[in-house]
Amino acid sequence: MIEENQPSVLIMIFGATGDLAKRKLFPSIYRLFQKEKINKFAVVGVARRELSNDEFQANVKESILTFTKEQENVDEFASHFYYHSHDVSSSESYIQLKDIADRLDSHYQLEGNRVFYLAMAPEFFGTIAEQVKEQGLTDTNGYKRLVIEKPFGHSFESALELNKRIRTAFEEDEVYRIDHYLGKEMVQNIEVIRFANALFEPLWNSRYISNIQVTSSETLGVEERGRYYETSGALRDMVQNHMLQMVALLAMEPPIRLTTEEIRSEKVRALRSLRPMTKEEVNQYFVRGQYGAGTVNQENVPEYRTEHNVDPESNTETFVAGKLMIDNFRWAGVPFYIRTGKRMDIKSTKIVVQFKDIPMNLYYNTEETLQPNLLVIHIQPEEGITLLLNAKKTGGDVKSTPVQLSYSNKSTDQLNTPEAYEKLLFASMRGDATNFTHWDEVALSWKFVDSISEVWENTKESSFPNYEAGTSGPRPADELLESDGHFWWPVENLDLEN
Ligand code: NAP
């Protein structure tokens, strides 16, 4: 059940001195406080380093001053924050943590509601879940919920193992697995665009759609995350979660109601329809890439293999392109192409839905051939929708020209657009799990991704590095579409401003 709008809650952040807490969690809780969405709340930060409550509150204030535009009532806000120095692998200090939690609970009248937010390395997830249960932190009169960051496992087997450990302490409906893409405004908009428009839903199938392209490109390299990234690569870091979640939202059947359960069950059905690949087929459907040196935003950048904590002979992919087939009545024969990479030419996440050509082209004799209709959903950094149509070219002759109808989210409500983490945190406090990933989705996505990584990890890619930093990826990613008679729509030409 989704609770009232002003939940009372104790939020326990494990990893409260880390990057995620500082850049995303404190600012998000602050915005909820400023908008009066929460007022009875307290936060306990947990990490190993020794900090007093005052020092922790000073860190929180600094984060608000650095990462938010509004800066009112910051002292009052920070006074709700407490700190407990604690190594999460030691069971002893959970007892002190319980004592702090119980005291804050009665001081702030939090009705025993607890959110355990794990903003820490994944190897600790299982231990923390088990310990909070064993030491009695989950014995409360209110709700108990576990919010857990990615990555959820490293493969299906490890995710299953982690899930078993978590489930000893929390029921499935108490586990909120974060995929922050699901908190993004335009990802949430996919369902509305599809299911609230008579213009699209009747055409949303293999009769009218030629192919769908999902691109998520970054200009950044691996930065300081070399150690993690070497064991992950783009496939686990981006495809298993964000890319497959977007595909599921694009491909799913209309839910019978907009409830968490109905939406999830349709997403699960879409993921179940993904065509499995044999080992031999993996390299026909998927392409991997690794960046070499190049120029990004006029700056020379090094190749992946010379980055910090990266093996000089690394076989890790920093780019993935793939063709997914969804074998059901709606999508038979329609390729969903996905592409994601680091050190690309632009930072952009976009979905391009390409409609089929009309049955007969009356305008073939014009100098330009007719462009197919496109629906572009701009996820980030721009948020909006563009529809590319053909209209008459101004002048005497009857000639067609492409025209663009655009809606930009920025122009209407940029300041009030809540950030993904803010929405997801608030949803977890209210018990709305719609935009979190259910175990069934995680399991299906890992099984699909495992079938690719098993092949890639066991064959050294001799062409690495195979794309220059600052480009749109390796050539085989283009050939993947060309062999089907398609091409990647150049996302840089589809910006809202163009
Ligand atoms: P981080 O900066 O390395 O922070 C790790 C935190 O864990 C620190 O507060 C650290 O504090 C604490 N810690 C480490 N070992 C501990 C132990 N044994 N006991 C208690 N505390 C311990 O990591 P992060 O970037 O915030 O990422 C956290 C999680 O979020 C990861 O799972 C990551 O994959 C995920 N994530 C992060 C981002 C992001 O933007 N940063 C985005 C998406 C997902 P002490 O050293 O003081 O103990």
Side-chain angles (χ1 to χ4, degrees), residues 278-327:
T278 61
K279 283 195 169 79
E280 292 68 40
E281 284 170 335
V282 164
N283 289 326
Q284 288 165 33
Y285 283 86
F286 275 80
V287 168
R288 53 179 157 163
Q290 188 190 75
Y291 62 81
T295 312
V296 178
N297 297 331
Q298 281 122 36
E299 232 180 78
N300 292 338
V301 296
E303 64 175 310
Y304 175 70
R305 288 177 173 186
T306 60
E307 302 265 25
H308 187 50
N309 282 332
V310 170
D311 177 354
E313 309 252 301
S314 176
N315 194 39
T316 303
E317 75 289 347
T318 60
F319 174 97
V320 174
K323 168 172 149 179
L324 308 173
M325 299 304 292
I326 297 184
D327 287 333

Side-chain angles (χ1 to χ4, degrees), residues 15-20 23 47-49 86-88 119-122 124-125 149-151 421:
T17 55
D19 177 68
L20 183 73
R23 284 194 308 113
R48 283 168 309 183
R49 71 199 71 169
H86 160 52
D87 186 325
V88 295
M120 291 195 48
F124 297 112
F125 294 168
E149 272 294 337
K150 78 166 193 184
Y421 272 97

Side-chain angles (χ1 to χ4, degrees), residues 8 39 44 60 66 83 148 154-155 194 224 255 262 306 316 325 334 338 398 403 406 444 452:
S8 345
N39 76 29
V44 185
V60 171
T66 315
Y83 185 77
I148 195 162
H154 180 74
S155 60
R194 287 190 53 191
E224 293 307 308
E262 297 298 346
T306 60
T316 303
M325 299 304 292
V334 180
I338 58 170
V398 183
V403 295
S406 287
L444 286 163
I452 306 166

